[in-house]
């Protein structure tokens, strides 16, 4: 894995951490997506965050037991 791969992985971990922080504050998937877009955080695929994207990430976090 080159430097670019590490950079992408670090970005993803930063997004996951931020999403988890917002969820811990009691925000819904929709509100989390809106907050990430306000913070100008671009998603990996679409550029803008959406409720389904955030929901899928939260579901994977829960399934894998990542906190």
């Amino acid at each position: 894995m080159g430097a670019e791969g590490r950079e992408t992985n670090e970005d993803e971990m930063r997004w996951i951490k931020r999403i988890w922080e917002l969820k811990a504050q009691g925000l819904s998937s929709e509100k989390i997506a809106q907050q990430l877009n306000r913070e100008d955080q671009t998603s990996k695929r679409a550029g803008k965050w959406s409720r389904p994207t955030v929901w899928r990430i939260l579901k994977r976090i829960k399934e894998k037991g990542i906190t």
Side-chain angles (χ1 to χ4, degrees), residues 12-67:
E12 289 173 3
M13 290 307 296
R14 191 169 37 248
W15 297 330
I16 289 168
K17 183 179 178 186
R18 183 64 179 136
I19 289 168
W20 191 250
E21 289 170 352
L22 294 169
K23 180 65 175 172
Q25 293 174 18
L27 273 64
S28 67
S29 298
E30 179 69 29
K31 295 292 183 185
I32 292 170
Q34 290 171 359
Q35 180 63 33
L36 291 173
N37 287 323
R38 276 193 299 273
E39 293 174 5
D40 202 25
Q41 301 285 339
T42 55
S43 71
K44 184 176 178 180
R45 294 185 182 176
K48 292 290 182 184
W49 290 92
S50 67
R51 186 207 52 82
T53 300
V54 171
W55 183 85
R56 280 192 301 274
I57 291 170
L58 288 169
K59 181 179 177 205
R60 287 184 192 140
I61 291 170
K62 186 176 179 182
E63 287 172 352
K64 293 183 180 194
I66 301 169
T67 56

